[in-house]
Amino acid sequence: MRKHWQYVAAYGFYVLLAILITYPLITQMGNVFIGAPESDAYEYARHIWWYGFALRNGEPVFQHTYLAHPEGLPALWLWAIPLQSFPAVIFDVLLPLPVAYNLMVLLRLALNGWAVFFLVRRLLDGTHMDVKITEHAAPAALVAGTVFMLYPAMQGQLFGSHAGIIALWGTPLYMDVLYRLRRRSSIGLVAQGAVFFVFGLLGSSLLLIFMLAPVTLYFVFARWLERDWRWLRRIAITATAGILLSAVFIVPAAVEQATSQAAVDPGGAVRFASDALAIVTPSFFHPAFSSLEYPRRVLGTNIVEGTAYIGVMAALLAVIAVVRYRAVRGWLVISIGAWVLSLGPLLKILDTPVTLTVDGRATYLPLPFSLVSYLPVIGTIRTPGRFNLLIGLIVAIMVGYGVAWLLNRQLPRTARWGIVTVLLIVIAFEYQLTWQYGLPHHPTVPATIPAEIAALRNDDSIRAVLNLPHQNLIFAKEAMYLQTAHHKPIVAGFISRQTPVSEAKLSILQHTLEPSLLNEAEVDVVLLFREWDETLTQQVYAYLGNPLYEDERYAVFRVPQPAATTRFAVDVRVPDDIQAHGDIHTYAAETSWAILSADLRADGRDISVMLDGTPIHSLSIDGQTPLQIPIPILPGYHTLSLEPSPPCRRPSHLLDVVCRTVSTSNVMLSEPVQPSLNGVVDFKRDIRLNSAHVTQNAAQIEVWQWWAYDDSTDGNMVRFVHMVNEAGEQVAGVDEPRGDIHAGQQHVEVTSLALPDEPGTYRVYTGWYTLPDVQRLDVLTDVDGAENDWILLDTFTIGPQ
């Protein structure tokens, strides 16, 4: 019974410690969220709110119909990580949302410390080992739990308000079961291990990589070295059961993610990796270390993901443990491996990649993570710094052993508890990440919402809200949180990282603010974050008039009734020097064609013109080159991109590679014209003509055709454009063998035909035939000319009308 009370008392201690290190959060639980201004607190709070709102209003819980209006967003990803939202969802039933969220975070921090206390106590008191390490396991375990709970990498995640990532208590409890499997095995014990395995990744599926997999591999490898096959078999069965059980959560989300268009951050693995000095770098906010110059250089741009300070006291205790106890030396190896992986693909010192010269060429110094990143699943990691969480767990275990060695000295009881008290105070003081006025002061973000914004919920005429600016991620998170007050659908929004809503749509709506387009998007209210851009603020006021409500941060506008229908809109976002791509966003009411014109300059560069990510034109730029090419314009919102091939993405290991950009000026898209052929025409062999247009001047006609290929074709295919007279005789034409074409390709082709001298009426046809039999491909769509397996594109007259 006494042991059980120790566990209860330990949890109470960690709750009080959580309150201390997050001060002054406890004094304003209902008015703020824990986390820095750029954190994810608003995003997670909104998702927590949605569970209750959806259930009360008959909305699907895992289909967020109030985001990305009107389509909504699938959200099975949240099914895979329920600990990101629970138990705050339950608290939200009785408490204000900010209180529910903050309470979840505080209790979770305490539970992390308690789980390590539970594990280390049992390691030291002989429960798991043949030899009892100390008679004073509880005090030593108390210090170990404090180390894990307050470890700077943990506080870094707290700084980013990563409520799911810090749900780490399942891993120590899973480890406890793996140790217990040494002496006995049962279905119940295996089930416990599997359940704790699952809980270890329900805060974030990536914890499988950062925590659970390394821990499991350590146990497997250690048992293999000891040739303890019985224990190894039990571990393998338990881990397998955990993987199978976790599939219930992970597989549905993985299927959803595989079909989504989630954005990938190719530079994240470098930016969110730890500096090599991070393990010896305290917080630059700490008053005891504020005089040091290097901490800000090491952590200043990456305090959330790059914090990894072990601390002087914890390091000394860990060294004692490694020297005195063989049982922890294996964990030292794992911690070194985790540290190397936390550094990411390149070695950084003072937040700058280390360079060296090989054969006269400057290069960065690659690390093992650059090889590991090519493996499946692991290659998606953009935050290698999170391996420091595993280091924190291992350091905590070592500290427990180190304290146990100290407490085994022949000391009075009072002296032992004095030692423990001093260790707790020193470690808590040294680890604290943020300070203000000499006290722990964790950053928070405001949780109050103006009553005027909340009052929008009472206006049933509001179909949706457009939040501006759309491109600012921090404001996008806050806009999602404002939805918890106004209860209206929003046009953008996201489940993780970035909205999947078309950039073209959001860009055009923001650029034009046309009431007709806003009305078509079912936007009745525009909510502006005024502090973003003075030019945008002036534009919104000029276009939408006086706001319904404004303060120093927000302005709320009612969209006026449209005076006319918008048929075409364009927003050019092409930089003067294109490295990766330059975009042109379009809106059109119907299919049409336009001329893309630009002055381009490059030193022998190929460039592709992309339509929604698919190449439709390819050309070479060498010197000053004027561009005049036809572009098909599709109904709705679409993106044209100018993309150098290959784009300027410097290999991560090369320093002296200079990318040859493509310079641009006078980029314009003409007013569109209606196509001569309006409608898709299908040919045999999965060839499709999406659209075509014929233009005429005094000397020639130009035929614009947009072809798509759903299957591969061989070199025996010929595409033709023929001009025939009234007698059906060919008077001009171009027959072009197309060579090998791969499935999924698209081309916009321009064919010029000289006008005949004879007056009369002429028709222009297009189609395909095969060689060597010159057999036309079947036209599968009922259009003019299909009976003869070609398509009539246009008819024109030369001479007197």
Side-chain angles (χ1 to χ4, degrees):
M1 182 61 68
R2 181 183 176 186
K3 182 183 293 188
H4 296 313
W5 277 110
Q6 287 180 351
Y7 292 135
V8 173
Y11 187 72
F13 169 79
Y14 292 129
V15 169
L16 293 176
L17 194 55
I19 292 172
L20 173 63
I21 68 163
T22 58
Y23 185 85
L25 177 66
I26 192 65
T27 66
Q28 45 189 333
M29 291 279 282
N31 299 319
V32 299
F33 290 108
I34 188 169
E38 66 275 12
S39 71
D40 294 336
Y42 287 142
E43 173 191 344
Y44 295 165
R46 185 267 166 202
H47 294 336
I48 290 167
W49 162 82
W50 174 254
Y51 287 95
F53 179 84
L55 292 173
R56 289 191 298 269
N57 292 274
E59 299 288 343
V61 172
F62 294 107
Q63 175 71 27
H64 285 221
T65 53
Y66 275 41
L67 297 180
H69 181 79
E71 292 85 2
L73 290 180
L76 283 176
W77 178 248
L78 298 179
W79 163 258
I81 50 173
L83 289 184
Q84 182 175 284
S85 301
F86 289 86
V89 172
I90 300 172
F91 298 156
D92 188 40
V93 175
L94 301 174
L95 300 170
L97 179 58
V99 177
Y101 180 84
N102 293 326
L103 182 61
M104 175 184 72
V105 171
L106 292 176
L107 295 180
R108 178 162 295 163
L109 281 174
L111 190 55
N112 287 339
W114 181 89
V116 169
F117 170 85
F118 182 84
L119 170 65
V120 173
R121 191 191 193 290
R122 291 158 67 85
L123 285 171
L124 299 179
D125 69 4
T127 301
H128 297 320
M129 298 295 150
D130 294 331
V131 179
K132 181 184 293 187
I133 302 300
T134 180
E135 297 288 340
H136 315 288
L142 194 68
V143 178
T146 300
V147 168
F148 185 56
M149 174 183 167
L150 302 187
Y151 197 69
M154 184 88 72
Q155 293 194 54
Q157 298 300 319
L158 191 62
F159 195 92
S161 200
H162 296 161
I165 293 294
I166 64 171
L168 300 174
W169 49 269
T171 299
L173 299 182
Y174 167 68
M175 293 168 60
D176 176 76
V177 172
L178 296 187
Y179 276 117
R180 289 160 63 188
L181 288 170
R182 179 189 183 191
R183 294 180 173 176
R184 68 182 183 89
S185 178
S186 66
I187 294 177
L189 191 57
V190 169
Q192 284 184 47
V195 168
F196 288 136
F197 181 98
V198 174
F199 274 116
L201 54 80
L202 290 187
S204 170
S205 299
L206 290 178
L207 291 175
L208 176 65
I209 298 171
F210 295 125
M211 299 288 285
L212 287 166
V215 165
T216 303
L217 289 175
Y218 165 75
F219 272 91
V220 169
F221 188 65
R223 304 298 76 78
W224 178 78
L225 288 177
E226 296 171 356
R227 300 296 191 266
D228 192 336
W229 309 121
R230 184 177 61 176
W231 192 1
L232 176 59
R233 183 171 59 252
R234 293 170 179 176
I235 292 170
I237 292 172
T238 303
T240 302
I243 293 171
L244 294 176
L245 186 59
S246 64
V248 175
F249 297 92
I250 292 178
V251 170
V255 172
E256 178 185 274
Q257 291 290 304
T259 58
S260 71
Q261 298 179 352
V264 177
D265 181 3
V270 175
R271 186 166 64 255
F272 298 131
S274 288
D275 192 291
L277 298 177
I279 60 172
V280 293
T281 302
S283 171
F284 53 83
F285 290 119
H286 201 295
F289 309 112
S290 58
S291 61
L292 299 177
E293 187 270 338
Y294 81 94
R296 188 171 292 276
R297 294 182 61 188
V298 172
L299 302 176
T301 62
N302 193 23
I303 195 168
V304 172
E305 303 291 355
T307 303
Y309 183 53
I310 293 178
V312 175
M313 184 60 70
L316 290 174
L317 293 170
V319 169
I320 292 173
V322 171
V323 171
R324 293 294 180 176
Y325 299 105
R326 182 173 178 271
V328 301
R329 293 170 190 169
W331 287 113
L332 176 63
V333 175
I334 298 299
S335 65
I336 293 173
W339 175 69
V340 172
L341 291 176
S342 76
L343 302 181
L346 303 176
L347 179 63
K348 295 190 300 182
I349 294 180
L350 299 177
D351 201 31
T352 302
V354 175
T355 63
L356 66 157
T357 302
V358 179
D359 293 332
R361 167 161 286 183
T363 181
Y364 292 127
L365 185 62
L367 294 175
F369 186 88
S370 59
L371 299 176
V372 175
S373 62
Y374 287 101
L375 298 175
V377 182
I378 297 179
T380 64
I381 293 178
R382 57 191 287 273
T383 53
R386 292 179 185 175
F387 278 106
N388 287 308
L389 296 170
L390 176 59
I391 296 175
L393 175 58
I394 295 173
V395 168
I397 295 173
M398 291 180 175
V399 165
Y401 276 85
V403 176
W405 182 84
L406 289 178
L407 298 183
N408 278 340
R409 307 305 91 199
Q410 297 297 320
L411 297 172
R413 176 184 176 87
T414 305
R416 286 196 295 267
W417 276 105
I419 291 174
V420 170
T421 302
V422 170
L423 292 177
L424 291 173
I425 292 173
V426 171
I427 290 171
F429 174 78
E430 191 179 8
Y431 274 1
Q432 186 62 27
L433 195 66
T434 54
W435 291 77
Q436 190 178 49
Y437 310 124
L439 293 172
H441 188 95
H442 202 283
T444 57
V445 292
T448 55
I449 298 175
E452 291 81 359
I453 292 179
L456 296 176
R457 73 170 73 175
N458 300 320
D459 189 342
D460 294 334
S461 67
I462 299 175
R463 293 169 294 174
V465 174
L466 174 66
N467 300 285
L468 301 179
H470 76 84
Q471 67 269 39
N472 184 284
L473 182 59
I474 295 175
F475 289 147
K477 296 175 183 179
E478 187 172 354
M480 290 170 59
Y481 174 60
L482 295 180
Q483 187 184 62
T484 68
H486 63 62
H487 294 184
K488 300 299 179 183
I490 60 178
V491 173
F494 52 90
I495 299 302
S496 178
R497 293 190 197 169
Q498 184 172 330
T499 182
V501 176
S502 164
E503 171 73 14
K505 177 179 181 178
L506 297 174
S507 177
I508 291 288
L509 291 178
Q510 178 170 303
H511 176 68
T512 66
L513 290 171
E514 284 287 347
S516 62
L517 295 183
L518 293 171
N519 181 65
E520 182 181 289
E522 300 186 359
V523 173
D524 295 305
V525 166
V526 171
L527 198 158
L528 171 69
F529 289 82
R530 300 180 60 187
E531 57 194 289
W532 166 249
D533 184 344
E534 182 61 30
T535 301
L536 175 61
T537 298
Q538 293 175 359
Q539 179 186 354
V540 175
Y541 274 80
Y543 279 58
L544 301 182
N546 294 325
L548 298 175
Y549 167 75
E550 63 180 338
D551 57 26
E552 66 279 2
R553 298 202 66 233
Y554 311 114
V556 180
F557 298 84
R558 187 79 191 208
V559 176
Q561 289 299 312
T565 301
T566 302
R567 309 302 299 173
F568 178 72
V570 61
D571 182 22
V572 178
R573 301 285 178 177
V574 179
D576 293 339
D577 287 290
I578 304 176
Q579 295 190 20
H581 60 87
D583 296 334
I584 303 170
H585 304 301
T586 66
Y587 166 83
E590 54 194 354
T591 302
S592 52
W593 286 80
I595 295 293
L596 174 62
S597 60
D599 293 323
L600 305 180
R601 183 176 184 81
D603 181 16
R605 288 286 264 144
D606 294 332
I607 191 169
S608 296
V609 180
M610 320 281 285
L611 177 58
D612 295 328
T614 300
I616 59 173
H617 279 288
S618 296
L619 56 151
S620 295
I621 310 296
D622 195 4
Q624 190 76 28
T625 305
L627 181 67
Q628 288 274 339
I629 56 174
I631 298 292
I633 304 297
L634 299 179
Y637 298 93
H638 298 275
T639 298
L640 289 169
S641 297
L642 300 176
E643 182 174 306
S645 181
C648 290
R649 296 191 180 99
R650 186 180 66 196
S652 61
H653 61 286
L654 297 179
L655 286 172
D656 53 358
V657 172
V658 177
C659 183
R660 293 178 294 138
T661 62
V662 176
S663 300
T664 68
S665 60
N666 303 318
V667 181
M668 297 178 60
L669 198 63
S670 69
E671 285 293 321
V673 296
Q674 297 299 306
S676 302
L677 177 70
N678 195 356
V680 176
V681 179
D682 291 315
F683 285 77
K684 192 176 180 180
R685 297 198 179 182
D686 293 319
I687 297 175
R688 184 173 69 255
L689 180 60
N690 288 324
S691 181
H693 183 61
V694 179
T695 66
Q696 179 183 351
N697 58 36
Q700 66 179 14
I701 65 169
E702 275 193 355
V703 180
W704 305 339
Q705 300 176 86
W706 177 22
W707 293 98
Y709 309 92
D710 294 334
D711 200 358
S712 300
T713 64
D714 55 34
N716 296 324
M717 303 287 296
V718 177
R719 196 267 302 150
F720 66 86
V721 177
H722 290 170
M723 183 191 302
V724 301
N725 59 20
E726 296 175 73
E729 300 168 332
Q730 180 178 332
V731 297
V734 174
D735 294 50
E736 295 182 293
R738 302 312 299 156
D740 293 333
I741 297 175
H742 301 293
Q745 284 188 302
Q746 298 185 23
H747 296 122
V748 171
E749 298 180 354
V750 180
T751 304
S752 299
L753 299 177
L755 291 176
D757 296 329
E758 297 292 328
T761 300
Y762 297 87
R763 298 183 300 278
V764 180
Y765 291 92
T766 190
W768 293 80
Y769 60 81
T770 57
L771 294 176
D773 56 356
V774 193
Q775 181 70 37
R776 290 180 187 170
L777 286 187
D778 294 342
V779 178
L780 306 179
T781 305
D782 185 12
V783 293
D784 290 341
E787 65 277 6
N788 295 315
D789 293 326
W790 59 1
I791 302 170
L792 176 62
L793 296 180
D794 201 7
T795 301
F796 60 92
T797 300
I798 299 176
Q801 301 297 315

